[in-house]
Amino acid sequence: MKKIMNSPDTLVAEAVEGLVISFPQYLKQVPGTHVLTRVHSKPAGRVGIVSGGGSGHEPAHAGYVGYGMLDAAVAGEVFTSPTPDQILEGIKAANHGAGVLMVVKNYTGDVMNFDIARELAEAQGIHTATVVVNDDVAVENSSFTTGRRGIAGTIFVHKIAGALAEQGASLAEVEAAANNVIAHVRSMGLALEPCTVPEAGAPTFTLADDEIEMGVGIHGEPGIERQKIRPAHELAAALLEKISGDLPLKSGDHLACIVNGLGATPLLELAGLAREVSLWTQNHGMTLDIVWTGEFMTSLEMAGASLTLLPLDESLTGLLQAPCDTPALRQGVAHD
Amino acid sequence: MKKIMNSPDTLVAEAVEGLVISFPQYLKQVPGTHVLTRVHSKPAGRVGIVSGGGSGHEPAHAGYVGYGMLDAAVAGEVFTSPTPDQILEGIKAANHGAGVLMVVKNYTGDVMNFDIARELAEAQGIHTATVVVNDDVAVENSSFTTGRRGIAGTIFVHKIAGALAEQGASLAEVEAAANNVIAHVRSMGLALEPCTVPEAGAPTFTLADDEIEMGVGIHGEPGIERQKIRPAHELAAALLEKISGDLPLKSGDHLACIVNGLGATPLLELAGLAREVSLWTQNHGMTLDIVWTGEFMTSLEMAGASLTLLPLDESLTGLLQAPCDTPALRQGVAHD
């Protein structure tokens, strides 16, 4: 195993400091924790939003801390849930007196630890609500979850809940909007190469020179089927057919998509994949109104990509396009 | 070789289309070319800026087309200079009547083809100037260059020249500012794993499980020395000592840095590396005022990173911090 790090034991702690050094206009660290919160806090009386989970998915979640998205992100060790006391610190940092929404990816450890933290926060008088993202259509249950896994669709939940919270919506309204996104967002990924968890030191699986793994999650776990590598248009169609098979899509629908790199796949290839998604939706009589192409929810240095689809209405489109200003996603830039 | 693509022959053409699909608010394609230009053109009477080169370095250069940076980017095939006729189309797209600056990375093919294009443009009455970036301190000459190579420091040249051009500076002023950056910006990189050029189909070199290659460029070429992998703080020091040995740095200096991922190295590791740069500069009595951490100038899916240093004065700091709005770099976001 080769990584640019001092040791697996200090990797996350040092990266948390490094994120503050890299994005000081956005991020500050809650002292003594792996919680990153906004430099410029939301005004009092607005709903706060916290997310987090294991590290190794960067820019998720610290990269989404800032105006229009999250108030705080809690980083566990690599692919390991943060502890309840760390999550509690995140909730406290995100609390501006109107309650805090926790956006949790569906993994057993995260769901459990965020739930304990929620109880601790309630005991301190902080109103909280939890939404659990389960957008991965690849598997119904996995080695890490009961039910579907939460993957890149989580970023649409951050964006839409974050925009509403910024507008002054109540905790119940923000929670309902997040659950509405979760009810309609679907994703699936494929890997060309595995990743190596620093503590383990060896790749989580191996693939032959012409093999891909369909339906991978974001924790290095294998997917649902090993297949031969195929042209990009066939890979895109395979993912999109599985995703759309789980949604009531029809000709005329408007869609948002995340073309998400899992770590090692270059933007050159992701851009080509975005083109395939666009062609596929056109061929199905649908319109791709919003495409986010890049690395949004990674799995260390895994090579591969996931696709996420969200059917749009006017309200969702507006919230996805609303201004935001975070290390990883910025929209609505002032010129002069 | 496994890549998400339809074929090596169509990869770049399809990626150019995919970039427009992914960033339609920024980029439009000059029909029939691999030239991407701004959707919202600069006002007449401002200097235009063009860059480009071989593909495989994304987000360079199309990712920097937009307000405050480039007016057009010209994409060659992977690691191959664009042809003079394509570059000429870029110059024409960037021309708003006040002349066009071409920012060229020092590689023999690019320098030659941009020079031919410049002559063609001048023959059509477009005033042009060329600056050649040569920030890589690793080697004095290489398989692809006479003199030093141009790598990630190019992005500081884009940013500073772009900010000045937006303010209405003349072509001579923008050219002089770009050359001032080039005179002071220095970079060096290291690889943990090589990359595979799609047309070639095999990695450009091989490294053992405990080996790194110091001083790599961005075209898959080997570097200057094969070494054992070491802790991040030693890797950072090795790069920074070589870089700073080529600059007249002293205690009290203010610096800007690019912590650049070469493709497969996760943000988790790049953030840790940013922390090492910060500690190193502190230990040398210097102040790191600006740190850009992420993927700015890649080498396909190469694992590794480069560091870039630029000593700052008040003027350079202001230009680096000026608003910009491009797919890959956005600063100065409006909040409501």
Side-chain angles (χ1 to χ4, degrees):
Chain A
M1 174 184 59
K2 285 180 284 189
K3 294 186 186 284
I4 300 176
M5 63 178 178
N6 289 317
S7 106
D9 298 338
T10 59
L11 176 60
V12 169
E14 293 175 359
V16 167
E17 288 181 29
L19 287 170
V20 173
I21 289 163
S22 301
F23 304 102
Q25 68 275 46
Y26 295 103
L27 302 176
K28 64 180 180 187
Q29 186 172 3
V30 177
T33 74
H34 293 172
V35 176
L36 292 172
T37 184
R38 294 189 194 184
V39 167
H40 303 289
S41 283
K42 213 175 238 174
R46 301 258 166 105
V47 169
I49 304 180
V50 177
S51 194
S55 293
H57 307 301
E58 291 68 26
H61 294 274
Y64 305 108
V65 171
Y67 178 83
M69 295 187 79
L70 304 180
D71 294 84
V74 189
E77 291 300 309
V78 172
F79 296 170
T80 303
S81 181
T83 55
D85 60 310
Q86 294 265 331
I87 300 168
L88 178 62
E89 292 299 324
I91 296 170
K92 286 158 66 179
N95 178 33
H96 304 294
V100 175
L101 178 72
M102 302 196 295
V103 180
V104 184
K105 299 189 297 299
N106 190 31
Y107 287 96
T108 305
D110 283 341
V111 170
M112 188 176 68
N113 286 350
F114 275 83
D115 199 50
I116 296 168
R118 194 186 57 74
E119 285 173 22
L120 297 171
E122 293 279 349
Q124 297 190 16
I126 304 175
H127 258 319
T128 61
T130 305
V131 296
V132 178
V133 188
N134 59 354
D135 54 316
D136 186 350
V137 299
V139 287
E140 282 306 319
N141 296 288
S142 80
S143 36
F144 296 106
T145 54
T146 306
R148 291 179 170 183
R149 302 175 294 211
I151 57 172
T154 307
I155 312 308
F156 279 158
V157 180
H158 290 174
K159 180 68 185 72
I160 286 164
L164 262 181
E166 220 68 60
Q167 293 170 8
S170 71
L171 180 58
E173 288 166 337
V174 177
E175 179 189 9
N179 276 325
N180 178 47
V181 177
I182 292 168
H184 296 95
V185 68
R186 299 288 185 276
S187 304
M188 186 163 150
L190 61 85
L192 278 64
E193 297 291 348
C195 61
T196 297
V197 179
E199 287 285 358
T204 51
F205 54 87
T206 53
L207 288 170
D209 270 357
D210 62 349
E211 277 181 341
I212 63 170
E213 184 82 20
M214 290 296 287
V216 289
I218 53 171
H219 295 90
E221 69 271 40
I224 47 172
E225 195 184 345
R226 198 148 297 188
Q227 302 181 347
K228 297 290 177 194
I229 181 80
R230 286 172 285 160
H233 69 92
E234 292 184 26
L235 298 177
L239 294 177
L240 291 168
E241 279 160 22
K242 181 88 175 165
I243 292 167
S244 63
D246 201 72
L247 277 171
L249 290 180
K250 59 184 187 308
S251 180
D253 278 355
H254 291 251
L255 297 169
C257 180
I258 303 176
V259 180
N260 175 55
L262 290 174
T265 291
L267 179 55
L268 187 72
E269 295 174 41
L270 298 175
L273 187 56
R275 176 180 168 276
E276 298 303 336
V277 176
S278 174
L279 291 172
W280 187 93
T281 51
Q282 279 175 43
N283 290 340
H284 288 74
M286 293 178 277
T287 308
L288 204 53
D289 287 346
I290 293 172
V291 187
W292 292 356
T293 304
E295 291 179 0
F296 293 90
M297 178 70 79
T298 61
S299 182
L300 294 169
E301 70 288 335
M302 178 172 275
S306 67
L307 296 178
T308 296
L309 290 186
L310 176 67
L312 293 172
D313 58 25
E314 209 169 295
S315 159
L316 291 177
T317 301
L319 293 166
L320 281 180
Q321 293 179 335
C324 66
D325 189 15
T326 73
L329 195 69
R330 294 166 211 172
Q331 295 181 163
V333 175
H335 291 192
D336 294 326
Chain B
M1 173 183 60
K2 284 180 283 188
K3 292 184 187 283
I4 300 177
M5 63 178 179
N6 289 318
S7 106
D9 298 339
T10 58
L11 177 61
V12 169
E14 292 175 359
V16 167
E17 288 180 29
L19 287 168
V20 173
I21 288 163
S22 300
F23 304 101
Q25 68 276 46
Y26 295 104
L27 302 176
K28 64 180 179 188
Q29 186 171 3
V30 176
T33 73
H34 293 173
V35 176
L36 293 171
T37 185
R38 295 190 194 183
V39 166
H40 303 290
S41 282
K42 213 175 237 173
R46 301 257 167 105
V47 168
I49 303 180
V50 177
S51 195
S55 292
H57 307 302
E58 291 68 27
H61 295 273
Y64 305 108
V65 171
Y67 180 84
M69 295 188 80
L70 303 180
D71 293 84
V74 189
E77 291 301 309
V78 172
F79 296 170
T80 303
S81 180
T83 55
D85 60 310
Q86 295 265 328
I87 301 168
L88 177 62
E89 292 299 323
I91 296 171
K92 286 157 67 179
N95 177 33
H96 303 293
V100 175
L101 179 72
M102 301 196 294
V103 179
V104 184
K105 301 191 296 298
N106 190 31
Y107 287 96
T108 305
D110 284 340
V111 171
M112 187 177 68
N113 286 351
F114 275 83
D115 199 49
I116 296 169
R118 193 186 58 73
E119 285 173 25
L120 297 172
E122 293 279 348
Q124 297 190 14
I126 304 174
H127 258 321
T128 61
T130 306
V131 297
V132 178
V133 188
N134 59 354
D135 54 316
D136 185 352
V137 300
V139 288
E140 282 305 320
N141 296 289
S142 80
S143 37
F144 296 105
T145 55
T146 304
R148 290 178 171 182
R149 300 175 293 211
I151 57 172
T154 307
I155 312 307
F156 278 159
V157 180
H158 291 175
K159 180 68 184 76
I160 286 165
L164 263 181
E166 220 68 61
Q167 293 170 9
S170 70
L171 180 58
E173 288 166 338
V174 176
E175 180 189 9
N179 276 323
N180 178 48
V181 177
I182 291 168
H184 296 95
V185 68
R186 298 287 186 276
S187 303
M188 186 160 146
L190 60 84
L192 278 63
E193 297 292 350
C195 61
T196 297
V197 179
E199 286 285 358
T204 50
F205 54 86
T206 53
L207 288 170
D209 270 357
D210 62 348
E211 277 181 341
I212 62 168
E213 183 83 21
M214 291 294 287
V216 289
I218 53 172
H219 295 88
E221 69 271 42
I224 48 173
E225 197 185 344
R226 198 148 295 188
Q227 301 180 349
K228 297 289 177 194
I229 182 81
R230 288 171 284 162
H233 68 93
E234 292 185 27
L235 297 177
L239 294 177
L240 292 167
E241 280 160 22
K242 180 86 174 169
I243 292 168
S244 63
D246 201 74
L247 278 172
L249 291 180
K250 60 184 185 310
S251 181
D253 279 354
H254 290 252
L255 296 170
C257 180
I258 303 175
V259 180
N260 175 56
L262 290 174
T265 291
L267 180 56
L268 188 73
E269 296 175 40
L270 297 175
L273 187 56
R275 176 181 169 275
E276 297 303 336
V277 175
S278 174
L279 292 172
W280 187 94
T281 51
Q282 278 174 44
N283 290 339
H284 287 74
M286 293 178 278
T287 309
L288 203 52
D289 287 346
I290 293 171
V291 187
W292 292 357
T293 303
E295 292 180 358
F296 294 91
M297 178 72 79
T298 61
S299 182
L300 294 169
E301 69 288 333
M302 178 173 274
S306 67
L307 296 177
T308 296
L309 289 185
L310 175 67
L312 292 172
D313 58 26
E314 209 169 295
S315 159
L316 290 177
T317 300
L319 293 166
L320 281 180
Q321 292 179 336
C324 65
D325 188 14
T326 73
L329 195 70
R330 295 165 212 174
Q331 296 182 165
V333 174
H335 292 193
D336 292 329

